[in-house]
mmCIF file of all heavy atoms in Angstrom:
data_model
loop_
_atom_site.group_PDB
_atom_site.id
_atom_site.type_symbol
_atom_site.label_atom_id
_atom_site.label_comp_id
_atom_site.label_asym_id
_atom_site.label_seq_id
_atom_site.Cartn_x
_atom_site.Cartn_y
_atom_site.Cartn_z
ATOM 1 N N THR A 281 -34.238 1.798 15.408
ATOM 2 C CA THR A 281 -35.461 1.303 14.768
ATOM 3 C C THR A 281 -35.408 1.532 13.260
ATOM 4 O O THR A 281 -35.802 0.660 12.469
ATOM 5 C CB THR A 281 -36.698 2.001 15.366
ATOM 6 O OG1 THR A 281 -36.744 1.723 16.774
ATOM 7 C CG2 THR A 281 -37.975 1.530 14.706
ATOM 8 N N PHE A 282 -34.907 2.703 12.864
ATOM 9 C CA PHE A 282 -34.770 3.030 11.440
ATOM 10 C C PHE A 282 -33.798 2.077 10.762
ATOM 11 O O PHE A 282 -34.071 1.548 9.670
ATOM 12 C CB PHE A 282 -34.295 4.480 11.312
ATOM 13 C CG PHE A 282 -33.965 4.913 9.908
ATOM 14 C CD1 PHE A 282 -34.958 5.091 8.963
ATOM 15 C CD2 PHE A 282 -32.649 5.156 9.535
ATOM 16 C CE1 PHE A 282 -34.657 5.493 7.668
ATOM 17 C CE2 PHE A 282 -32.338 5.563 8.250
ATOM 18 C CZ PHE A 282 -33.340 5.729 7.317
ATOM 19 N N VAL A 283 -32.656 1.817 11.400
ATOM 20 C CA VAL A 283 -31.644 0.931 10.823
ATOM 21 C C VAL A 283 -32.165 -0.506 10.745
ATOM 22 O O VAL A 283 -31.922 -1.209 9.762
ATOM 23 C CB VAL A 283 -30.332 1.004 11.632
ATOM 24 C CG1 VAL A 283 -29.342 -0.070 11.187
ATOM 25 C CG2 VAL A 283 -29.696 2.388 11.474
ATOM 26 N N ASP A 284 -32.887 -0.935 11.774
ATOM 27 C CA ASP A 284 -33.485 -2.277 11.736
ATOM 28 C C ASP A 284 -34.413 -2.434 10.534
ATOM 29 O O ASP A 284 -34.421 -3.477 9.859
ATOM 30 C CB ASP A 284 -34.277 -2.546 13.024
ATOM 31 C CG ASP A 284 -33.377 -2.826 14.212
ATOM 32 O OD1 ASP A 284 -32.165 -3.075 14.007
ATOM 33 O OD2 ASP A 284 -33.870 -2.766 15.356
ATOM 34 N N ASP A 285 -35.185 -1.384 10.253
ATOM 35 C CA ASP A 285 -36.102 -1.425 9.110
ATOM 36 C C ASP A 285 -35.323 -1.481 7.799
ATOM 37 O O ASP A 285 -35.697 -2.220 6.875
ATOM 38 C CB ASP A 285 -37.016 -0.202 9.141
ATOM 39 C CG ASP A 285 -38.097 -0.256 8.074
ATOM 40 O OD1 ASP A 285 -38.788 -1.291 7.989
ATOM 41 O OD2 ASP A 285 -38.244 0.719 7.315
ATOM 42 N N LEU A 286 -34.210 -0.727 7.719
ATOM 43 C CA LEU A 286 -33.385 -0.760 6.508
ATOM 44 C C LEU A 286 -32.740 -2.131 6.317
ATOM 45 O O LEU A 286 -32.560 -2.588 5.184
ATOM 46 C CB LEU A 286 -32.304 0.322 6.579
ATOM 47 C CG LEU A 286 -32.767 1.773 6.458
ATOM 48 C CD1 LEU A 286 -31.569 2.710 6.553
ATOM 49 C CD2 LEU A 286 -33.514 2.024 5.146
ATOM 50 N N GLN A 287 -32.399 -2.789 7.421
ATOM 51 C CA GLN A 287 -31.858 -4.149 7.319
ATOM 52 C C GLN A 287 -32.883 -5.100 6.719
ATOM 53 O O GLN A 287 -32.559 -5.920 5.857
ATOM 54 C CB GLN A 287 -31.432 -4.648 8.695
ATOM 55 C CG GLN A 287 -30.070 -4.147 9.160
ATOM 56 C CD GLN A 287 -29.645 -4.830 10.439
ATOM 57 O OE1 GLN A 287 -30.056 -4.454 11.529
ATOM 58 N NE2 GLN A 287 -28.830 -5.857 10.306
ATOM 59 N N LYS A 288 -34.114 -4.987 7.178
ATOM 60 C CA LYS A 288 -35.173 -5.857 6.666
ATOM 61 C C LYS A 288 -35.416 -5.624 5.182
ATOM 62 O O LYS A 288 -35.787 -6.543 4.443
ATOM 63 C CB LYS A 288 -36.464 -5.620 7.448
ATOM 64 C CG LYS A 288 -36.392 -6.061 8.897
ATOM 65 C CD LYS A 288 -37.651 -5.666 9.654
ATOM 66 C CE LYS A 288 -37.544 -6.018 11.133
ATOM 67 N NZ LYS A 288 -38.736 -5.547 11.902
ATOM 68 N N GLN A 289 -35.188 -4.375 4.733
ATOM 69 C CA GLN A 289 -35.391 -4.036 3.324
ATOM 70 C C GLN A 289 -34.172 -4.370 2.462
ATOM 71 O O GLN A 289 -34.204 -4.194 1.246
ATOM 72 C CB GLN A 289 -35.716 -2.548 3.187
ATOM 73 C CG GLN A 289 -36.996 -2.116 3.875
ATOM 74 C CD GLN A 289 -37.186 -0.611 3.787
ATOM 75 O OE1 GLN A 289 -37.096 -0.022 2.719
ATOM 76 N NE2 GLN A 289 -37.464 0.025 4.916
ATOM 77 N N GLY A 290 -33.095 -4.824 3.087
ATOM 78 C CA GLY A 290 -31.890 -5.158 2.340
ATOM 79 C C GLY A 290 -31.093 -3.949 1.899
ATOM 80 O O GLY A 290 -30.366 -4.011 0.894
ATOM 81 N N VAL A 291 -31.188 -2.844 2.647
ATOM 82 C CA VAL A 291 -30.455 -1.622 2.303
ATOM 83 C C VAL A 291 -29.138 -1.539 3.081
ATOM 84 O O VAL A 291 -28.116 -1.107 2.553
ATOM 85 C CB VAL A 291 -31.312 -0.367 2.581
ATOM 86 C CG1 VAL A 291 -30.524 0.914 2.294
ATOM 87 C CG2 VAL A 291 -32.576 -0.402 1.741
ATOM 88 N N VAL A 292 -29.139 -1.925 4.352
ATOM 89 C CA VAL A 292 -27.927 -1.887 5.164
ATOM 90 C C VAL A 292 -27.673 -3.267 5.765
ATOM 91 O O VAL A 292 -28.552 -4.133 5.787
ATOM 92 C CB VAL A 292 -28.005 -0.830 6.290
ATOM 93 C CG1 VAL A 292 -28.348 0.538 5.735
ATOM 94 C CG2 VAL A 292 -28.995 -1.250 7.369
ATOM 95 N N LYS A 293 -26.463 -3.457 6.270
ATOM 96 C CA LYS A 293 -26.094 -4.724 6.901
ATOM 97 C C LYS A 293 -25.070 -4.458 8.004
ATOM 98 O O LYS A 293 -24.429 -3.409 8.058
ATOM 99 C CB LYS A 293 -25.496 -5.683 5.877
ATOM 100 C CG LYS A 293 -24.142 -5.230 5.338
ATOM 101 C CD LYS A 293 -23.528 -6.265 4.401
ATOM 102 C CE LYS A 293 -22.150 -5.814 3.911
ATOM 103 N NZ LYS A 293 -21.516 -6.831 3.027
ATOM 104 N N GLU A 294 -24.921 -5.423 8.884
ATOM 105 C CA GLU A 294 -23.849 -5.383 9.864
ATOM 106 C C GLU A 294 -22.535 -5.626 9.137
ATOM 107 O O GLU A 294 -22.443 -6.492 8.262
ATOM 108 C CB GLU A 294 -24.073 -6.451 10.933
ATOM 109 C CG GLU A 294 -25.316 -6.215 11.779
ATOM 110 C CD GLU A 294 -25.525 -7.300 12.817
ATOM 111 O OE1 GLU A 294 -24.811 -8.325 12.747
ATOM 112 O OE2 GLU A 294 -26.389 -7.138 13.695
ATOM 113 N N TRP A 295 -21.516 -4.847 9.509
ATOM 114 C CA TRP A 295 -20.232 -4.950 8.813
ATOM 115 C C TRP A 295 -19.151 -5.535 9.713
ATOM 116 O O TRP A 295 -18.549 -6.558 9.404
ATOM 117 C CB TRP A 295 -19.817 -3.577 8.290
ATOM 118 C CG TRP A 295 -18.473 -3.532 7.621
ATOM 119 C CD1 TRP A 295 -17.924 -4.492 6.825
ATOM 120 C CD2 TRP A 295 -17.515 -2.477 7.679
ATOM 121 N NE1 TRP A 295 -16.681 -4.100 6.371
ATOM 122 C CE2 TRP A 295 -16.410 -2.857 6.885
ATOM 123 C CE3 TRP A 295 -17.482 -1.246 8.307
ATOM 124 C CZ2 TRP A 295 -15.285 -2.046 6.718
ATOM 125 C CZ3 TRP A 295 -16.380 -0.429 8.138
ATOM 126 C CH2 TRP A 295 -15.281 -0.826 7.348
ATOM 127 N N ALA A 296 -18.888 -4.892 10.849
ATOM 128 C CA ALA A 296 -17.810 -5.326 11.732
ATOM 129 C C ALA A 296 -18.093 -4.835 13.137
ATOM 130 O O ALA A 296 -18.812 -3.853 13.339
ATOM 131 C CB ALA A 296 -16.470 -4.774 11.238
ATOM 132 N N ASP A 297 -17.519 -5.525 14.123
ATOM 133 C CA ASP A 297 -17.669 -5.071 15.508
ATOM 134 C C ASP A 297 -16.336 -4.686 16.125
ATOM 135 O O ASP A 297 -16.260 -4.351 17.309
ATOM 136 C CB ASP A 297 -18.373 -6.121 16.370
ATOM 137 C CG ASP A 297 -17.633 -7.455 16.382
ATOM 138 O OD1 ASP A 297 -16.545 -7.546 15.773
ATOM 139 O OD2 ASP A 297 -18.152 -8.397 17.002
ATOM 140 N N GLU A 298 -15.260 -4.736 15.338
ATOM 141 C CA GLU A 298 -13.953 -4.290 15.810
ATOM 142 C C GLU A 298 -13.071 -3.952 14.606
ATOM 143 O O GLU A 298 -13.217 -4.532 13.531
ATOM 144 C CB GLU A 298 -13.281 -5.369 16.669
ATOM 145 C CG GLU A 298 -13.137 -6.707 15.956
ATOM 146 C CD GLU A 298 -12.614 -7.799 16.870
ATOM 147 O OE1 GLU A 298 -12.676 -7.615 18.105
ATOM 148 O OE2 GLU A 298 -12.158 -8.831 16.353
ATOM 149 N N PHE A 299 -12.177 -3.002 14.802
ATOM 150 C CA PHE A 299 -11.255 -2.577 13.753
ATOM 151 C C PHE A 299 -9.816 -2.836 14.187
ATOM 152 O O PHE A 299 -9.531 -3.023 15.368
ATOM 153 C CB PHE A 299 -11.421 -1.084 13.455
ATOM 154 C CG PHE A 299 -12.730 -0.727 12.794
ATOM 155 C CD1 PHE A 299 -13.272 0.535 12.957
ATOM 156 C CD2 PHE A 299 -13.408 -1.636 12.000
ATOM 157 C CE1 PHE A 299 -14.470 0.880 12.356
ATOM 158 C CE2 PHE A 299 -14.615 -1.310 11.395
ATOM 159 C CZ PHE A 299 -15.138 -0.039 11.568
ATOM 160 N N SER A 300 -8.931 -2.795 13.210
ATOM 161 C CA SER A 300 -7.502 -2.866 13.496
ATOM 162 C C SER A 300 -7.015 -1.489 13.953
ATOM 163 O O SER A 300 -7.763 -0.501 13.890
ATOM 164 C CB SER A 300 -6.744 -3.328 12.255
ATOM 165 O OG SER A 300 -7.203 -4.594 11.822
ATOM 166 N N LEU A 301 -5.774 -1.429 14.376
ATOM 167 C CA LEU A 301 -5.214 -0.179 14.897
ATOM 168 C C LEU A 301 -3.760 -0.026 14.466
ATOM 169 O O LEU A 301 -2.976 -0.984 14.537
ATOM 170 C CB LEU A 301 -5.283 -0.154 16.424
ATOM 171 C CG LEU A 301 -4.539 1.001 17.123
ATOM 172 C CD1 LEU A 301 -5.241 2.332 16.864
ATOM 173 C CD2 LEU A 301 -4.414 0.748 18.626
ATOM 174 N N TYR A 302 -3.427 1.180 14.009
ATOM 175 C CA TYR A 302 -2.032 1.570 13.833
ATOM 176 C C TYR A 302 -1.761 2.651 14.869
ATOM 177 O O TYR A 302 -2.326 3.750 14.798
ATOM 178 C CB TYR A 302 -1.775 2.097 12.417
ATOM 179 C CG TYR A 302 -0.349 2.544 12.202
ATOM 180 C CD1 TYR A 302 0.666 1.607 12.018
ATOM 181 C CD2 TYR A 302 -0.016 3.890 12.193
ATOM 182 C CE1 TYR A 302 1.977 2.008 11.829
ATOM 183 C CE2 TYR A 302 1.285 4.306 12.007
ATOM 184 C CZ TYR A 302 2.282 3.359 11.834
ATOM 185 O OH TYR A 302 3.572 3.767 11.653
ATOM 186 N N ASP A 303 -0.932 2.350 15.874
ATOM 187 C CA ASP A 303 -0.753 3.252 17.011
ATOM 188 C C ASP A 303 0.332 4.301 16.812
ATOM 189 O O ASP A 303 0.691 5.029 17.736
ATOM 190 C CB ASP A 303 -0.469 2.449 18.285
ATOM 191 C CG ASP A 303 0.841 1.661 18.207
ATOM 192 O OD1 ASP A 303 1.620 1.864 17.243
ATOM 193 O OD2 ASP A 303 1.089 0.830 19.112
ATOM 194 N N GLY A 304 0.846 4.396 15.603
ATOM 195 C CA GLY A 304 1.910 5.347 15.309
ATOM 196 C C GLY A 304 3.231 4.661 15.035
ATOM 197 O O GLY A 304 4.100 5.206 14.350
ATOM 198 N N THR A 305 3.366 3.445 15.545
ATOM 199 C CA THR A 305 4.589 2.667 15.309
ATOM 200 C C THR A 305 4.292 1.220 14.927
ATOM 201 O O THR A 305 5.025 0.620 14.156
ATOM 202 C CB THR A 305 5.485 2.666 16.562
ATOM 203 O OG1 THR A 305 4.729 2.178 17.675
ATOM 204 C CG2 THR A 305 6.001 4.074 16.870
ATOM 205 N N GLU A 306 3.198 0.669 15.465
ATOM 206 C CA GLU A 306 2.896 -0.741 15.228
ATOM 207 C C GLU A 306 1.466 -0.937 14.730
ATOM 208 O O GLU A 306 0.570 -0.150 15.048
ATOM 209 C CB GLU A 306 3.071 -1.556 16.514
ATOM 210 C CG GLU A 306 4.492 -1.671 16.999
ATOM 211 C CD GLU A 306 4.568 -2.581 18.215
ATOM 212 O OE1 GLU A 306 4.373 -3.815 18.052
ATOM 213 O OE2 GLU A 306 4.794 -2.073 19.319
ATOM 214 N N PHE A 307 1.295 -2.031 13.983
ATOM 215 C CA PHE A 307 -0.024 -2.433 13.517
ATOM 216 C C PHE A 307 -0.571 -3.513 14.455
ATOM 217 O O PHE A 307 0.124 -4.483 14.768
ATOM 218 C CB PHE A 307 0.060 -2.980 12.086
ATOM 219 C CG PHE A 307 -1.248 -3.494 11.545
ATOM 220 C CD1 PHE A 307 -2.132 -2.645 10.905
ATOM 221 C CD2 PHE A 307 -1.596 -4.835 11.680
ATOM 222 C CE1 PHE A 307 -3.342 -3.111 10.399
ATOM 223 C CE2 PHE A 307 -2.795 -5.322 11.183
ATOM 224 C CZ PHE A 307 -3.669 -4.455 10.539
ATOM 225 N N HIS A 308 -1.823 -3.337 14.911
ATOM 226 C CA HIS A 308 -2.488 -4.322 15.756
ATOM 227 C C HIS A 308 -3.726 -4.831 15.015
ATOM 228 O O HIS A 308 -4.513 -4.043 14.499
ATOM 229 C CB HIS A 308 -2.923 -3.692 17.081
ATOM 230 C CG HIS A 308 -1.799 -3.047 17.840
ATOM 231 N ND1 HIS A 308 -1.053 -3.734 18.780
ATOM 232 C CD2 HIS A 308 -1.280 -1.796 17.782
ATOM 233 C CE1 HIS A 308 -0.140 -2.917 19.288
ATOM 234 N NE2 HIS A 308 -0.250 -1.739 18.696
ATOM 235 N N ASN A 309 -3.898 -6.144 14.983
ATOM 236 C CA ASN A 309 -5.057 -6.717 14.294
ATOM 237 C C ASN A 309 -6.373 -6.224 14.874
ATOM 238 O O ASN A 309 -7.362 -6.065 14.164
ATOM 239 C CB ASN A 309 -5.008 -8.244 14.353
ATOM 240 C CG ASN A 309 -3.942 -8.804 13.432
ATOM 241 O OD1 ASN A 309 -3.697 -8.256 12.350
ATOM 242 N ND2 ASN A 309 -3.293 -9.875 13.847
ATOM 243 N N VAL A 310 -6.387 -5.992 16.184
ATOM 244 C CA VAL A 310 -7.569 -5.493 16.875
ATOM 245 C C VAL A 310 -7.147 -4.349 17.787
ATOM 246 O O VAL A 310 -6.116 -4.431 18.461
ATOM 247 C CB VAL A 310 -8.252 -6.598 17.713
ATOM 248 C CG1 VAL A 310 -9.439 -6.033 18.483
ATOM 249 C CG2 VAL A 310 -8.702 -7.745 16.821
ATOM 250 N N ASP A 311 -7.926 -3.263 17.793
ATOM 251 C CA ASP A 311 -7.667 -2.146 18.684
ATOM 252 C C ASP A 311 -7.915 -2.596 20.129
ATOM 253 O O ASP A 311 -9.057 -2.861 20.511
ATOM 254 C CB ASP A 311 -8.592 -0.977 18.326
ATOM 255 C CG ASP A 311 -8.329 0.258 19.171
ATOM 256 O OD1 ASP A 311 -7.577 0.169 20.156
ATOM 257 O OD2 ASP A 311 -8.889 1.327 18.837
ATOM 258 N N PRO A 312 -6.866 -2.694 20.946
ATOM 259 C CA PRO A 312 -7.055 -3.229 22.304
ATOM 260 C C PRO A 312 -7.796 -2.281 23.232
ATOM 261 O O PRO A 312 -8.279 -2.713 24.291
ATOM 262 C CB PRO A 312 -5.611 -3.449 22.781
ATOM 263 C CG PRO A 312 -4.803 -2.467 21.993
ATOM 264 C CD PRO A 312 -5.468 -2.364 20.654
ATOM 265 N N ASN A 313 -7.912 -1.020 22.856
ATOM 266 C CA ASN A 313 -8.537 -0.031 23.731
ATOM 267 C C ASN A 313 -9.975 0.303 23.351
ATOM 268 O O ASN A 313 -10.632 1.074 24.049
ATOM 269 C CB ASN A 313 -7.709 1.264 23.728
ATOM 270 C CG ASN A 313 -6.276 1.031 24.157
ATOM 271 O OD1 ASN A 313 -6.031 0.355 25.149
ATOM 272 N ND2 ASN A 313 -5.331 1.580 23.394
ATOM 273 N N ALA A 314 -10.452 -0.271 22.266
ATOM 274 C CA ALA A 314 -11.791 0.087 21.777
ATOM 275 C C ALA A 314 -12.868 -0.747 22.460
ATOM 276 O O ALA A 314 -12.667 -1.928 22.763
ATOM 277 C CB ALA A 314 -11.870 -0.110 20.267
ATOM 278 N N ASP A 315 -14.014 -0.110 22.710
ATOM 279 C CA ASP A 315 -15.180 -0.829 23.197
ATOM 280 C C ASP A 315 -15.882 -1.476 22.003
ATOM 281 O O ASP A 315 -16.210 -0.780 21.042
ATOM 282 C CB ASP A 315 -16.152 0.116 23.913
ATOM 283 C CG ASP A 315 -15.556 0.703 25.181
ATOM 284 O OD1 ASP A 315 -14.775 -0.019 25.831
ATOM 285 O OD2 ASP A 315 -15.874 1.868 25.510
#
């Protein structure tokens, strides 16, 4: 509820819903194990 109010005020925004992954040897555009 607090974050929703900050969005309406133009203080915060949605950024991303998934990140890339470096598994120790390879780079993946999307983390296949993340929710």
Side-chain angles (χ1 to χ4, degrees):
T281 300
F282 174 70
V283 171
D284 285 346
D285 186 51
L286 290 180
Q287 279 188 278
K288 293 174 184 176
Q289 298 175 50
V291 177
V292 306
K293 68 176 182 178
E294 295 179 350
W295 177 37
D297 58 3
E298 56 186 17
F299 291 153
S300 301
L301 171 70
Y302 179 76
D303 63 9
T305 56
E306 292 184 70
F307 177 88
H308 304 269
N309 287 325
V310 177
D311 183 350
N313 303 313
D315 295 326

